[in-house]
């Protein structure tokens, strides 16, 4: 007796969120989930005593295999590589278990943040997969071992290395969504209604701006920009040249900005915030990564130059 397809649909959103955390792009995540579906349709019922666990393991293995080729592609990527942004309803907490504790919710929110996904790019495929499965999903080391094809002892070492790397390089941020939203609102007002002095006041002195145009958008910085003075001048220069509508929206689980122009969505910004100041800005303008972002989110804003 073959598997019931309705069971797969029950877990599709969960699988997509798992794959996205491992791969960093929704397109690749959806491909991995589709491959998992094909394997599910060929599975026998006696293989599926725990459907969610079986599917999670399968999609994680597929993602681990994909990470190797994805890393090769990203090494030749033009400029900084940023994750495909999850905006609005697309970024809802589909991975969260029913009734997560506040501590568990912080981990889940952080695991899908732009900052974390950028940081995970520096891990090896095995480290990244093991870290997500163990630290985010809470799988046992036995289950992690089955995915990555290494002993439990080796998996503990993978997770320990990944954990240490993440802790040492993670940007400063506040888990308070209200403070984060307030800082982003102040940033938007300073960019579009203020000037250099106002913008400097909402930026951390060591703020970093990363822009991802994928070599497809002219004038996009191909290296990270460091320091409040440099970041403010660059942003205000861009704002003076482009007419856009900035919209507050949820970007990878936290308040961010979506930029619309007459032709559609032209950019998405994610942020890290600490002490009410912007510490990291992730600016995605690569059109290939914006195709799933819907127009008209929070359309109460008026047009501005960007």
């Amino acid at each position: 007796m073959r598997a019931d397809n309705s069971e797969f649909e029950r877990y599709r959103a969960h699988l997509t969120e798992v794959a996205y955390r491992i791969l960093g792009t929704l397109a690749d995540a959806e491909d991995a989930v589709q491959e998992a579906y094909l394997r599910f349709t060929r599975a026998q019922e006696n293989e599926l005593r725990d459907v969610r666990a079986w599917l999670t393991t399968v999609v994680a293995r597929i993602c681990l295999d994909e990470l190797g080729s994805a890393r090769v592609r990203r090494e030749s990527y033009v400029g900084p590589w940023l994750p495909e942004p999850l905006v609005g309803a697309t970024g809802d907490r589909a991975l969260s278990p029913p009734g997560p504790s506040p501590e568990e919710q912080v981990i889940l929110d952080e695991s899908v943040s732009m900052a974390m996904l950028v940081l995970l790019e520096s891990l090896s495929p095995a480290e990244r997969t093991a870290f997500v499965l163990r630290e985010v999903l809470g799988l046992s080391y036995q289950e992690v071992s089955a995915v990555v094809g290494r002993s439990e002892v080796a998996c503990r070492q993978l997770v320990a290395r990944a954990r240490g790397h993440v802790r040492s390089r993670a940007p400063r941020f506040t888990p308070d969504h209200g403070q984060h939203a307030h800082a982003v609102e102040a940033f938007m007002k300073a960019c579009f209604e203020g000037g250099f002095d106002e913008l400097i006041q909402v930026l951390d002195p060591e703020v970093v701006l990363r822009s991802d145009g994928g070599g497809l958008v002219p004038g996009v910085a191909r290296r990270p920009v460091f320091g409040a003075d440099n970041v403010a001048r660059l942003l205000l220069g861009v704002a003076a040249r482009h007419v856009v509508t900035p919209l507050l929206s949820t970007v990878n689980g936290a308040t961010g900005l979506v930029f619309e122009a007459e032709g559609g969505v032209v950019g998405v910004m994610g942020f890290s915030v600490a002490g009410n100041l912007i510490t990291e800005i992730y600016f995605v303008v690569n059109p290939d990564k914006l195709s799933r972002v819907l127009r008209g989110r929070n359309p109460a804003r008026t047009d501005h130059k960007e």
Side-chain angles (χ1 to χ4, degrees), residues 25 45 52 59 76 78 84 90 119 127 151 155 158 164 187 215 234 238 243 246 248 262 276 279 286 305:
T25 74
E45 188 175 23
R52 179 186 171 100
V59 82
S76 60
V78 178
E84 180 181 350
T90 309
L119 185 54
E127 288 173 339
S151 69
C155 288
L158 286 173
F187 170 87
L234 186 149
V238 172
V243 177
L248 289 169
E262 186 174 348
N276 294 316
T279 59
N286 182 342
K305 284 191 172 184

Side-chain angles (χ1 to χ4, degrees), residues 20 23-26 74 80-86 112-119 121 128 212 252 268 282-284 289-290:
Y20 176 77
L23 295 174
T25 74
L26 193 56
R74 291 170 193 176
W81 183 94
L82 295 177
E84 180 181 350
L86 297 182
V112 79
S113 70
M114 296 289 275
M116 178 60 73
L117 292 171
V118 168
L119 185 54
E121 281 295 301
R128 179 170 185 163
D212 179 349
N252 287 66
V268 172
Y282 309 94
F283 193 16
V284 180
K289 297 184 179 181
L290 301 175

Side-chain angles (χ1 to χ4, degrees), residues 119 163-170:
L119 185 54
R163 188 190 300 123
H165 185 82
V166 167
R167 287 177 177 173
S168 66
R169 299 185 60 179

